[in-house]
Amino acid sequence: MSVTVEGLHREQDDELVAFLDELSADSASVLGYHYPFYRDMLTAIEVGEPIYLGARCEGKLIGYLPAFMKKSAAGVVVGSLPYFGPNAGVLCGNERPEQVHSALLEELARRARAMNALSCAIYTPFQFRDFELYEQALPGWEKVEKFTQYQRLDADVRDPAVGRNLRKAQRLGVTLSSEVTAERMATFFSIYEQNCHEFGIPLKPRAAVDWLGRAKLVGKNTLLYFAFHEGRMIGGLIMVWSPKVASYYIPCSLTEARSLQPSTVLIDAAMAEARAQGIEFWNWESSPGRDSGVYQFKKKWGAVESEYRIYIETFAGRDKLRELGREGIAREFPYYFVWPFNRL
């Protein structure tokens, strides 16, 4: 019985959702980012064009590789997926994993080669460790080793300082709401934008934030929380859910209100709701580095590290990448990992 690969399109969304839901029972690698709503969001905000591949055996969907392609005047890049972190790669169960990885990874590489892509970057999934499957399918590709942070939600291992900060916020009158309104979304984005400028964080478009706040997604694929003090919004949090994993997608807080601990209150509420819904893992996403305040903040909650890798190849040659340079790559291909800058 051979494994075949085909492109997955919207007509197969119900089948894809059923596959991901079933796989979630045994795998923490399935994130909210792998579901069709997230593909539709990325497409709507013109991040690129989807290349979603499915592996089948006797007609049954047994593997999945989501990716996007971005065209510009400078060329084409392919990424699984745009934005950064262990948020894509091959998803499959225990049915023919070697064949599934080989078939899907080789097909994406074949398509990137046919496009003469400047680069094709494939992230390994969240909570995935069998890197040999990528080494075998992508021989000679550049490898970038990274780490992310996560924690299980079945144990409270947070630092006592977190509890003190929660009590402080309660004493000072910080309140929460999950009601989504246009005004609240506008304020949320304004605070988020300020944070990105302040810390040099790549800004996700306003349209992406608004999309994830749509009524049909909230409570099913996303959850939004807003923190207030004396009637003023001082912070917010967007979570993206899968059946087993809650992903910490966009947090924000007013700089002048951080002493009120809005982030602590928001995270505590989101974790409590995730536990109540039977979610097992909290995906903290990547941090700038182990010496960063962001990394240390997550560690206080009980975050531990998990390794992931990016496998990347160029089919147009490194000279073209060097000609573009850092500024050109960032300008032409925002949200994509195009090439490690220290290897240009």
Side-chain angles (χ1 to χ4, degrees), residues 183-199:
E183 181 182 3
R184 287 179 175 183
M185 293 303 294
T187 305
F188 177 96
F189 188 80
S190 176
I191 297 172
Y192 165 60
E193 188 174 32
Q194 174 190 321
N195 289 174
C196 288
H197 290 323
E198 184 178 358
F199 295 107

Side-chain angles (χ1 to χ4, degrees), residues 26-37:
D26 300 312
S27 173
S29 292
V30 178
L31 306 178
Y33 313 135
H34 304 137
Y35 282 78
F37 80 91

Side-chain angles (χ1 to χ4, degrees), residues 329-344:
I329 288 172
R331 181 185 65 251
E332 298 293 328
F333 305 107
Y335 320 123
Y336 285 79
F337 187 95
V338 176
W339 201 259
F341 289 146
N342 62 357
R343 302 184 197 180
L344 280 174

Side-chain angles (χ1 to χ4, degrees), residues 7 48-53 65-80 104-121 141 313-317 320 333 336:
E49 301 174 35
I51 306 174
Y52 278 41
L53 302 177
L65 175 58
F68 264 71
M69 168 185 64
K70 177 69 174 179
K71 296 179 180 178
S72 86
V76 179
V77 298
V78 176
S80 178
L104 287 170
L105 293 170
E106 288 175 10
E107 174 60 16
L108 187 62
R110 184 193 68 78
R111 293 187 182 209
R113 185 179 298 109
M115 300 172 197
N116 197 34
L118 285 166
S119 74
C120 178
W141 283 42
E313 180 62 287
T314 177
F315 300 100
K320 288 193 175 183
F333 305 107
Y336 285 79

Side-chain angles (χ1 to χ4, degrees), residues 41 45-47 83 189 192 202-211 249-250 335:
M41 183 274 284
I45 65 173
E46 300 182 342
V47 164
Y83 298 138
F189 188 80
Y192 165 60
L203 179 72
K204 292 180 174 68
R206 170 70 188 272
V209 173
D210 288 341
W211 182 280
Y249 193 66
I250 299 181
Y335 320 123

Side-chain angles (χ1 to χ4, degrees), residues 74 116 118 314 316-325 329:
N116 197 34
L118 285 166
T314 177
R318 294 195 190 186
D319 287 345
K320 288 193 175 183
L321 291 166
R322 293 190 184 102
E323 287 174 17
L324 272 175
I329 288 172

